[in-house]
């Protein structure tokens, strides 16, 4: 293989697309993973893709033209990794809704992986889904998501159209829909408890329903969480299907027409 100046510029753009994806993709973008490990993985994947990706002539003029290609490839990796990462945050969003209904919304904790404050149930669901991802080798699909982009569109061939914005808007609508579907059992139980407490407040006005309601909601909420924990595998499969569908839509949005 002859490494000319033109081919070196081409391979650097491959590294840009892969490295920006690694920095924003789920599991790989965790702050607990050292930066050297992320960069080493990006370089290794680039070396694997060099014999596979056909070298094409880059259409640019001067330093500004090459900088625009760098920004374009960085945007491809960031958008794809960010959308895959958002898919996992559906369970975190559902967990926060559960804690609001149960009464544990004030019990926040600092997540060192994301550097944000998360609720207890949201953090539990996030780690459980991450474990399922590792067990089912879904992280291999995450890596293939960026590697397959080179078979759909080569370096400099990605087209940014309004379809990407439309895909993002559609996904955000599904984001809330899926989150509410996950938290639906808790919503149903809390609704029944609120109705019962309302009836009791009419039947026994001297009873402090606020104190009773908080304790009852926490107890019933934790009990329901223990019951629905076995459904984490089903929720994970549903999240992974949403991730695969989102990746396919992004591929189609970037394809030149």
């Amino acid at each position: 293989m002859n490494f000319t100046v033109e081919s070196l510029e081409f391979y650097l753009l491959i590294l840009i697309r892969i490295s920006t994806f690694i920095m924003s993709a789920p599991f790989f973008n965790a702050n607990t993973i050292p930066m050297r490990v992320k960069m080493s993985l990006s370089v290794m994947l680039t070396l694997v893709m060099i014999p596979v990706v056909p070298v094409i002539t880059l259409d640019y003029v001067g330093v500004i033209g090459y900088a625009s290609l760098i920004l374009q490839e960085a945007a491809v990796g960031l958008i794809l990794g960010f959308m895959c990462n958002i898919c996992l945050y559906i369970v975190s969003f559902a967990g926060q809704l559960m804690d609001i209904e149960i009464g544990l919304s004030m019990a926040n904790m600092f997540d060192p992986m994301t550097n944000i404050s998360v609720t207890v149930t949201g953090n539990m669901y996030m780690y459980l889904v991450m474990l399922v991802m590792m067990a089912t080798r879904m992280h291999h699909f995450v890596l293939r998501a960026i590697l397959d982009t080179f078979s759909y569109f080569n370096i400099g061939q990605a087209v940014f159209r309004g379809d990407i914005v439309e895909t993002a808007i559609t996904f955000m609508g599904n984001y809330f829909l899926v989150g509410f579907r996950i938290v639906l059992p808790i919503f149903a139980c809390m609704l029944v408890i609120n109705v019962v407490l309302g009836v009791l407040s009419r039947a026994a006005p001297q009873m402090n329903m606020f104190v009773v309601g908080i304790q009852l909601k926490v107890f019933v909420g934790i009990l329901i969480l223990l019951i629905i924990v076995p459904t984490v595998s089903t929720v994970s499969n549903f999240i992974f299907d949403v991730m695969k569908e989102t990746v396919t839509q992004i591929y189609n949005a970037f394809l030149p027409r």
Side-chain angles (χ1 to χ4, degrees), residues 78-155:
L78 287 175
I79 292 174
L80 188 59
F82 177 76
M83 294 301 291
C84 292
N85 197 24
I86 287 295
C87 291
L88 284 186
Y89 278 92
I90 294 177
V91 291
S92 179
F93 169 72
Q96 292 180 5
L97 293 179
M98 290 180 183
D99 288 333
I100 291 174
E101 291 296 320
I102 295 174
L104 300 176
S105 59
M106 297 298 294
N108 293 337
M109 59 184 300
F110 181 77
D111 186 9
M113 294 184 62
T114 56
N115 286 337
I116 60 175
S117 296
V118 294
T119 57
V120 178
T121 307
N123 200 36
M124 180 191 70
Y125 264 88
M126 177 66 72
Y127 280 105
L128 287 176
V129 172
M130 295 285 283
L131 287 175
V132 175
M133 173 182 287
M134 294 294 296
T136 58
R137 298 183 179 180
M138 187 63 186
H139 58 291
H140 292 176
F141 169 81
V142 175
L143 290 178
R144 289 199 304 269
I146 186 61
L147 300 181
D148 289 344
T149 57
F150 296 100
S151 61
Y152 281 86
F153 46 89
N154 209 329
I155 296 296

Side-chain angles (χ1 to χ4, degrees), residues 134-211:
M134 294 294 296
T136 58
R137 298 183 179 180
M138 187 63 186
H139 58 291
H140 292 176
F141 169 81
V142 175
L143 290 178
R144 289 199 304 269
I146 186 61
L147 300 181
D148 289 344
T149 57
F150 296 100
S151 61
Y152 281 86
F153 46 89
N154 209 329
I155 296 296
Q157 295 181 352
V159 179
F160 295 87
R161 296 189 302 270
D163 295 345
I164 301 177
V165 179
E166 183 179 354
T167 300
I169 294 175
T170 303
F171 172 78
M172 293 308 298
N174 295 331
Y175 178 94
F176 292 102
L177 180 62
V178 174
F180 283 119
R181 290 178 62 179
I182 296 174
V183 78
L184 188 59
I186 298 293
F187 274 161
C189 293
M190 294 301 110
L191 178 61
V192 173
I193 291 177
N194 289 330
V195 172
V196 172
L197 291 176
V199 174
L200 290 177
S201 64
R202 289 291 185 178
Q206 67 277 9
M207 185 180 297
N208 192 343
M209 292 301 167
F210 180 77
V211 177

